[in-house]
Amino acid sequence: SQTIHQWPATLVQPVGSPLSLECTVEGTSNPNLYWYRQAAGRGLQLLFYSVGIGQISSEVPQNLSASRPQDRQFILSSKKLLLSDSGFYLCAWSVFGYRTGLYNEQFFGPGTRLTVL
Amino acid sequence: DQQVKQNSPSLSVQEGRISILNCDYTNSMFDYFLWYKKYPAEGPTFLISISSIKDKNEDGRFTVFLNKSAKHLSLHIVPSQPGDSAVYFCAAYNTNAGKSTFGDGTTLTVKP
C-alpha cells in the first residue's frame, strides 16, 4: 500500500533561519507531488507541484523553493524564513488512474507545523 | 480572486440529522470536484468526488450534488454522526492545469 511521510512533525525556527522540510512517498511510482500551506483559519494554498524529477511548478511568489531530487522525494526549502511563513505545511501525491482514473484525487501526509518566531 | 468558496466557516448539527455543506466556484474549466475531510493536526483525507458531467454521486452516508449552471456543489451527510466532526474542504480540479484549487473549509460539529 502507498504511504507518505513528512518530517519533522513540528518545527520552531527563528526569523532569518533556513528551512528544509522533506516528504517521501512509498508504494507508488511517478507520482505527482504537491506542497500546500494552510495558514491559521484558512484553506489550503498550493505552493509547488511536480510532475517528475527536477520538474517544479511554483504557484505563489515567495521566499520558498522546492526540489525533487528523486522520483518519490519532495523537499521544501527556504534560505531565510519570514514570520509570514508560519503555518501547517502539507505534502500530497496523486497518480494517474488511481481509483477515479485521473490525477484528481490527492493523498496527504501528516503535515508539519512550522512556527517562525 | 478566490475561485472556490465555502461561505460558511462553521456548521453545527444534531446527531442523526442531515448536514449540508456548500461550495461555489467560478472557473468553468474545473472538471472534477472533490470533498476532503480533515482532523486537527492531520492531513486531509479524500471523501467523495464528482465529475462535471454528473449531477449526483453517492457513497454510503455521503452524497455530493453538482449544479453546473449555478456553479455550486454541496455535500450531504445523512445521518450525521459525532465522528463526522471535522473540517471539510471542497476542491475543484482542472485536468488541463493538472491541479486542484481548495476552498477555505467548513468546520462541522455534530452534537450527540
Side-chain angles (χ1 to χ4, degrees), chain B residues 23-44:
Chain B
C23 179
D24 297 293
Y25 64 96
T26 58
N27 189 343
S28 300
M29 296 301 293
F30 292 136
D31 47 7
Y32 275 87
F33 302 90
L34 307 96
W35 286 94
Y36 290 82
K37 179 179 178 180
K38 183 183 181 301
Y39 293 115
E42 294 183 8

Side-chain angles (χ1 to χ4, degrees), chain A residues 34 36 38 42-44 49 59 88 90 99 102-106 108-110, chain B residues 32 34 36 38 41-44 46 49 89 93 97-100 102-104:
Chain A
Y34 309 84
Y36 288 88
Q38 183 185 17
R42 298 300 306 277
L44 300 176
Y49 70 100
E59 289 296 299
F88 191 52
L90 289 156
R99 198 193 328 238
L102 290 173
Y103 277 112
N104 51 40
E105 180 182 343
Q106 295 177 350
F108 288 83
Chain B
Y32 275 87
L34 307 96
Y36 290 82
K38 183 183 181 301
E42 294 183 8
F46 170 78
S49 67
F89 288 101
Y93 183 78
K99 58 185 180 182
S100 289
F102 284 78
D104 284 347

Side-chain angles (χ1 to χ4, degrees), chain B:
Chain B
D1 177 34
Q2 197 167 4
Q3 297 186 53
V4 178
K5 291 184 180 180
Q6 294 177 254
N7 291 318
S8 298
S10 62
L11 175 68
S12 183
V13 172
Q14 205 66 35
E15 180 179 7
R17 307 295 291 269
I18 184 171
S19 295
I20 301 177
L21 296 96
N22 294 302
C23 179
D24 297 293
Y25 64 96
T26 58
N27 189 343
S28 300
M29 296 301 293
F30 292 136
D31 47 7
Y32 275 87
F33 302 90
L34 307 96
W35 286 94
Y36 290 82
K37 179 179 178 180
K38 183 183 181 301
Y39 293 115
E42 294 183 8
T45 55
F46 170 78
L47 194 57
I48 192 170
S49 67
I50 187 168
S51 164
S52 61
I53 62 173
K54 296 188 176 181
D55 55 18
K56 178 182 176 182
N57 187 27
E58 193 172 352
D59 184 2
R61 296 185 298 113
F62 303 92
T63 303
V64 56
F65 295 92
L66 175 64
N67 183 333
K68 203 173 175 182
S69 61
K71 293 189 173 65
H72 176 84
L73 64 153
S74 60
L75 174 68
H76 292 212
I77 307 173
V78 182
S80 301
Q81 301 173 354
D84 296 329
S85 297
V87 178
Y88 289 80
F89 288 101
C90 168
Y93 183 78
N94 181 336
T95 299
N96 287 337
K99 58 185 180 182
S100 289
T101 302
F102 284 78
D104 284 347
T106 296
T107 301
L108 173 66
T109 303
V110 181
K111 298 179 179 179

Side-chain angles (χ1 to χ4, degrees), chain A residues 43-110:
Chain A
L44 300 176
Q45 180 187 32
L46 180 62
L47 302 175
F48 301 94
Y49 70 100
S50 170
V51 299
I53 296 174
Q55 301 178 61
I56 308 293
S57 295
S58 175
E59 289 296 299
V60 181
Q62 57 211 329
N63 69 321
L64 299 172
S65 62
S67 62
R68 185 170 178 175
Q70 300 180 42
D71 180 46
R72 288 169 286 181
Q73 184 184 28
F74 206 22
I75 299 171
L76 182 69
S77 304
S78 174
K79 293 182 180 178
K80 287 185 178 182
L81 283 169
L82 306 173
L83 286 174
S84 57
D85 291 325
S86 294
F88 191 52
Y89 288 81
L90 289 156
C91 179
W93 67 269
S94 65
V95 171
F96 180 84
Y98 191 88
R99 198 193 328 238
T100 55
L102 290 173
Y103 277 112
N104 51 40
E105 180 182 343
Q106 295 177 350
F107 299 88
F108 288 83

